[in-house]
Amino acid sequence: MFKVIERLLGDKIATEKISLTGSERFRGKINGSCPENLREECAKVCPVGAFKVTADAQGYAVDYKKCLFCGKCVEKAMGNLQHSSDEALPVITEDAAEVTAEVIKQKLGRSLHVRHLDAGSCNACDFEMGAMSNPIYDLHRYGVHVDASPRHADLLMVTGVVTRNLEQALKMSYEAMPEPRLVMACGACAAGGETYGASYAIVGAADKVVPVDIYIPGCPPRPSAMIAGLLAAADMLAERM
Amino acid sequence: MADWSLKVVKPENFRGTANILSNGGNNPLTAMFGRDETENPEVKGYAIYAVFENLSEHKMEAVKAVFGEGESLCYESLTSVIPAAVWYEREIQDMFGIVPQGHPDPRPLVLHDTFPEGFYPLRKNVAKDVEVRGNRRMDMSVAKGEGVYEVPVGPIHAGIIEPGHFRFSQAGESMLQLDARLFYTHRGLEKIMEGKTPEEALPIVERICGACSIANTWSFCQAVEKIAGVKIPRRAEIIRTLLMEIERITNHVGDLGNIPAGVGFNPAISLGGRTKEMLMRLQERIAGNRFLRGVIVPGGVHQDIDSALINDIADIMDKVKTNVSDLSEMFAQQANFQNRVRTTGIVRKNTAVDLAMVGVGARASGFAHDSRKDFAYGLYPELDFELVTEKTGDVAARLALRIAELTESFGLVEQLCNLLKADKSNDPSNLTSQIDWSNVSGEDWGLSESARGSNFQFVALQDGKIDRIFVRSASYPNWPALTIAVQGDIIPDFPLINKSFELCYACIDR
Ligand code: SF4
Ligand code: SF4
């Protein structure tokens, strides 16, 4: 008993502000301009087809829904591209896009109930979801709760590519939710579906099976990015009520 | 020559040879897997392998049965003599249609009810992304009797965990029997990797499982490097071994915070969670992401660990050590916690040996099975550490074992950091041996001790491309033990027992 009391009294509050900036080596959003002769090369090394050559001034575009933040394109670009240490922001579907900025001010009094569904993840996304509840991130302070059942949830947080063996569970969980309901595709697998490529056992991204409202880039997204996404989702929900 | 002694036999001699190699159960069955070699003109058929660890001679011994063109795809099941074969044989039947005759439980394992009968995805004549629908039978195994009832749980659970379906056969509060249906997150990764170069396959290997990305990539790289016949730079070996120990510490600390969640012991959950977060952030500083991905590559490592990072590591390890010793005191002083973990979820030593268990699960039951001691890879032969075991095989033993192993790992990290500091070759070009894959063919295995136990991989390359890869993570041999551990305990203890094994789904499902 003594040790428990000693730590309870001795430890300071651990909870931190959410930061979307990582450490020095952190591989976040891709910046820089890519010379023409290298663009094709970059696109070729991208394992998931997230790096595309475009006709605009930058000459490339990255689909952050699919990107694994693996650094291969940056390396190919030989110093012309860099990973910034900022995380890529959530991607919100068009009909929901106008919601955010306005409502984001009215943060008080809202709450969001979340049901997690692993549709075929490597479990890193799940571990980071679990970390949201540790004292450092303390998800509860934002009024966000993780529920035991989809029947109590406002938002279904899907991680992983949807596998054949889980397709039905995803559909049934979505159908069990009360309206209004939101679906979040969390991480490159659920959001982009290209992590492993196609197989007999993979259906694909979450939006192949259920309508998705918000996508969180990252492989896996860090807990802070997940929380930022959940806060945006809470605002979208307020608008739909 | 592959790094094992291999006997190639006819299917009818497979069981007999395997039985000899198992040496009366003393040599654990490391893995069993199938292979389609119908396109290989020298074989023109299917094959199954069984791989055993000869623990006294520190080597792998394998037997391979070849089913020639037109031969019937049947052999006598090993399970009745080698119980550890039970899931492997079911998996081979699902993936290749090779039938283990006399298997006590020949139900499908990997492919669930939306797949048709007679669909064998790892055969070469099946396209990678073929879409087939069917309605195969998937029964759960349950106990019957007066007053016995069933409790179905999952695949979607109340917490943030991976999917699996459990069917408890209950007599009152006691669990009589547990059947687990897994492979929900089966993504077909082995098939997907076929035809890719080792470099192309690497991002997938790193993403088989989040918790063990170092262990999986290390096993994979060992296998392909052995096939290519390259030695990797010493500095890269030091870094790989160091990362492996950091990954172990992160996972073990995570478990120290997670096991008390099975009984709602909040101060310990909170301290464990905070400590794990320190380690995740350290991993990000080392690798650029929180799961140590992208560092180990075929031929060596991709990033150096410089002296600033070494200081960071030492600094975090000091803090983690203090927290671990506080957690350990908290556990010891809390009588009601001890009451819940002692004598709960027992696996006896002979069960552990019979099932060829690995890692924490094996060692907590007194089975001294640790690939860091059994096989010389990485820097382990040069390092000073103890192989820890416990006797009681219960939740308390698995918890105590992790705490003791953490102490060993802290010592290993210190030794490895000192070796890195003393190593003067830290010139970036010296971190990887270049390999030209274009003409590399052959087969070999790799093995590394993850936090959960040994991760084994078999890789066959044909002209630099993967012809077959088989991934057997540590959770695979330990899952069947969980269903035995719960017998006779009460259902509220299931989460606790489950967490004490911390078995992973993603890497066994693949
Ligand atoms: S960082 Fe993203 S865009 Fe670049 S190669 Fe990797 S997955 Fe593709
Ligand atoms: S997005 Fe990345 S971390 Fe998340 S489940 Fe997929 S592979 Fe794992």
Side-chain angles (χ1 to χ4, degrees):
Chain A
M1 202 62 203
F2 174 71
K3 200 65 199 183
V4 171
I5 294 166
E6 184 193 303
R7 286 292 312 218
L8 285 181
L9 295 178
D11 285 340
K12 297 191 198 74
I13 290 173
T15 311
E16 289 177 3
K17 275 197 178 151
I18 297 302
S19 156
L20 295 177
T21 308
S23 58
E24 207 182 305
R25 281 184 176 180
F26 178 67
R27 292 196 290 269
K29 264 190 311 194
I30 294 162
N31 290 338
S33 59
C34 194
E36 213 179 329
N37 57 337
L38 288 174
R39 281 173 216 159
E40 288 290 343
E41 293 287 305
C42 294
K44 234 165 62 197
V45 293
C46 177
V48 291
F51 193 101
K52 288 260 158 46
V53 177
T54 59
D56 67 0
Q58 295 250 296
Y60 72 94
V62 177
D63 182 348
Y64 287 117
K65 283 201 246 171
K66 295 182 184 156
C67 177
L68 306 179
F69 300 88
C70 68
K72 288 201 193 316
C73 57
V74 170
E75 243 163 70
K76 258 294 170 258
M78 305 203 295
N80 293 296
L81 297 179
Q82 301 86 31
H83 276 291
S84 81
S85 48
D86 292 328
E87 274 165 318
L89 292 173
V91 183
I92 296 169
T93 47
E94 270 161 34
D95 62 328
E98 69 269 23
V99 182
T100 46
E102 247 326 282
V103 207
I104 218 147
K105 296 179 199 116
Q106 325 160 354
K107 293 225 179 204
L108 291 170
R110 70 173 164 195
S111 91
L112 182 73
H113 287 254
V114 178
R115 176 63 238 153
H116 167 235
L117 191 140
D118 176 343
S121 95
C122 78
N123 79 29
C125 275
D126 308 17
F127 269 114
E128 294 295 55
M129 271 193 75
M132 292 194 301
S133 306
N134 76 24
I136 316 258
Y137 298 103
D138 190 19
L139 186 62
H140 273 110
R141 70 180 137 150
Y142 300 105
V144 182
H145 299 269
V146 179
D147 277 327
S149 161
R151 294 194 195 283
H152 307 153
D154 305 310
L155 178 136
L156 192 65
M157 194 162 171
V158 183
T159 59
V161 282
V162 183
T163 63
R164 280 283 301 278
N165 287 347
L166 280 162
E167 187 184 7
Q168 191 198 6
L170 173 56
K171 273 193 198 139
M172 286 173 71
S173 299
Y174 177 74
E175 279 156 16
M177 293 169 73
E179 303 213 33
R181 59 191 163 189
L182 293 172
V183 177
M184 173 186 281
C186 178
C189 283
E194 294 294 332
T195 313
Y196 306 107
S199 94
Y200 63 91
I202 291 177
V203 178
D207 58 13
K208 276 199 158 174
V209 183
V210 290
V212 172
D213 303 280
I214 185 161
Y215 300 85
I216 312 292
C219 179
R222 300 193 311 162
S224 44
M226 293 182 179
I227 292 175
L230 285 172
L231 296 184
D235 297 329
M236 287 163 65
L237 191 75
E239 193 69 357
R240 285 194 192 175
M241 285 285 190
Chain B
M1 274 301 281
D3 187 16
W4 59 18
S5 65
L6 178 71
K7 288 195 176 68
V8 182
V9 299
K10 294 226 169 268
E12 56 268 30
N13 297 329
F14 185 65
R15 177 170 145 132
T17 315
N19 206 7
I20 293 167
L21 292 182
S22 99
N23 185 21
N26 290 318
N27 293 347
L29 176 70
T30 302
M32 260 181 93
F33 48 91
R35 189 170 171 197
D36 179 342
E37 294 185 274
T38 48
E39 287 164 7
N40 178 347
E42 281 161 35
V43 183
K44 282 201 189 144
Y46 293 90
I48 48 175
Y49 291 69
V51 186
F52 296 86
E53 284 169 43
N54 186 328
L55 292 182
S56 49
E57 291 178 35
H58 303 282
K59 60 176 198 185
M60 289 287 186
E61 295 172 336
V63 52
K64 173 181 182 183
V66 176
F67 302 83
E69 212 174 358
E71 275 183 57
S72 102
L73 294 177
C74 292
Y75 69 101
E76 207 185 334
S77 161
L78 303 187
T79 301
S80 61
V81 285
I82 304 168
V86 60
W87 279 23
Y88 296 113
E89 294 196 316
R90 288 171 67 187
E91 177 174 335
I92 294 169
Q93 176 166 268
D94 269 15
M95 306 314 266
F96 292 93
I98 302 173
V99 180
Q101 281 173 324
H103 192 289
D105 180 13
R107 291 175 299 153
L109 182 74
V110 180
L111 304 175
H112 290 189
D113 21 23
T114 67
F115 288 94
E117 307 277 357
F119 171 63
Y120 306 116
L122 285 187
R123 289 192 179 177
K124 296 277 182 196
N125 62 8
V126 172
K128 271 187 190 179
D129 58 350
V130 63
E131 160 133 17
V132 289
R133 297 270 157 179
N135 202 357
R136 69 165 56 191
R137 247 188 103 138
M138 287 287 284
D139 294 325
M140 297 302 289
S141 144
V142 292
K144 296 249 187 301
E146 202 183 315
V148 177
Y149 60 98
E150 289 174 40
V151 179
V153 179
I156 309 302
H157 298 274
I160 302 174
I161 50 168
E162 296 177 84
H165 176 80
F166 301 114
R167 190 73 62 89
F168 299 96
S169 300
Q170 292 290 122
E173 273 205 307
S174 300
M175 298 179 265
L176 273 188
Q177 187 185 321
L178 164 62
D179 189 25
R181 180 192 292 183
L182 303 173
F183 294 89
Y184 280 95
T185 64
H186 177 62
R187 290 148 288 168
L189 299 184
E190 291 176 357
K191 181 84 175 184
I192 290 176
M193 286 190 269
E194 287 178 8
K196 293 191 190 291
T197 64
E199 262 113 18
E200 287 165 350
L202 192 69
I204 296 177
V205 173
E206 286 177 337
R207 287 166 179 79
I208 293 170
C209 163
C212 298
S213 59
I214 289 294
N216 281 324
T217 36
W218 200 3
S219 299
F220 175 73
C221 288
Q222 277 179 26
V224 296
E225 286 157 5
K226 279 191 217 170
I227 300 172
V230 293
K231 236 184 111 45
I232 72 159
R234 181 175 164 82
R235 190 171 178 86
E237 284 285 21
I238 306 176
I239 293 176
R240 284 181 176 185
T241 317
L242 175 60
L243 294 178
M244 185 68 256
E245 291 308 313
I246 293 176
E247 185 172 274
R248 182 183 332 282
I249 292 172
T250 305
N251 276 286
H252 277 10
V253 165
D255 292 341
L256 295 193
N258 205 18
I259 292 170
V263 297
F265 183 8
N266 284 328
I269 303 171
S270 151
L271 183 54
R274 286 163 62 173
T275 315
K276 182 169 182 203
E277 181 65 24
M278 289 180 197
L279 288 157
M280 298 301 286
R281 290 181 181 188
L282 174 68
Q283 297 192 150
E284 184 188 301
R285 291 210 286 283
I286 295 172
N289 59 77
R290 288 160 53 100
F291 289 83
L292 293 175
R293 285 169 174 162
V295 189
I296 295 188
V297 294
V301 295
H302 189 63
Q303 273 162 316
D304 193 24
I305 295 185
D306 58 14
S307 53
L309 264 178
I310 294 177
N311 293 339
D312 263 10
I313 294 173
D315 185 41
I316 296 291
M317 287 301 152
D318 276 344
K319 298 191 174 106
V320 173
K321 261 186 234 173
T322 312
N323 287 358
V324 167
S325 92
D326 283 1
L327 273 168
S328 150
E329 269 185 63
M330 282 185 191
F331 296 143
Q333 290 171 1
Q334 210 68 21
N336 45 1
F337 179 72
Q338 287 299 326
N339 199 7
R340 289 290 303 273
V341 295
R342 286 197 191 145
T343 70
T344 305
I346 295 176
V347 174
R348 298 190 191 289
K349 183 176 172 185
N350 46 8
T351 309
V353 174
D354 279 350
L355 293 177
M357 284 179 75
V358 296
V360 170
R363 297 193 286 272
S365 297
F367 179 23
H369 194 196
D370 188 327
S371 64
R372 293 175 295 173
K373 291 284 189 194
D374 297 335
F375 294 92
Y377 61 90
L379 259 268
Y380 290 118
E382 291 177 36
L383 301 170
D384 179 23
F385 68 106
E386 293 290 322
L387 194 168
V388 196
T389 55
E390 291 281 333
K391 288 203 180 69
T392 45
D394 51 4
V395 175
R398 288 183 283 276
L399 187 62
L401 187 86
R402 285 190 177 88
I403 293 171
E405 285 196 359
L406 277 166
T407 309
E408 296 303 316
S409 290
F410 292 138
L412 286 169
V413 166
E414 202 178 310
Q415 293 171 52
L416 288 158
C417 284
N418 288 338
L419 285 171
L420 264 192
K421 270 194 227 153
D423 181 78
K424 294 294 171 229
S425 66
N426 53 342
D427 134 29
S429 61
N430 224 339
L431 291 172
T432 35
S433 311
Q434 294 305 322
I435 306 171
D436 172 13
W437 293 106
S438 49
N439 289 317
V440 177
S441 298
E443 59 180 43
D444 223 316
W445 55 272
L447 186 72
S448 62
E449 190 75 13
S450 77
R452 291 160 174 76
S454 67
N455 276 12
F456 172 89
Q457 280 182 36
F458 168 84
V459 184
L461 293 179
Q462 184 63 48
D463 301 323
K465 302 226 163 93
I466 294 175
D467 180 58
R468 171 81 172 110
I469 174 168
F470 172 74
V471 178
R472 194 236 63 199
S473 71
S475 297
Y476 196 106
N478 287 4
W479 259 108
L482 171 69
T483 61
I484 291 173
V486 302
Q487 287 171 4
D489 282 312
I490 56 172
I491 248 190
D493 277 337
F494 178 71
L496 183 64
I497 300 171
N498 195 7
K499 287 180 204 302
S500 78
F501 284 96
E502 180 56 7
L503 299 174
C504 174
Y505 304 62
C507 56
I508 78 150
D509 296 355
R510 290 156 282 149

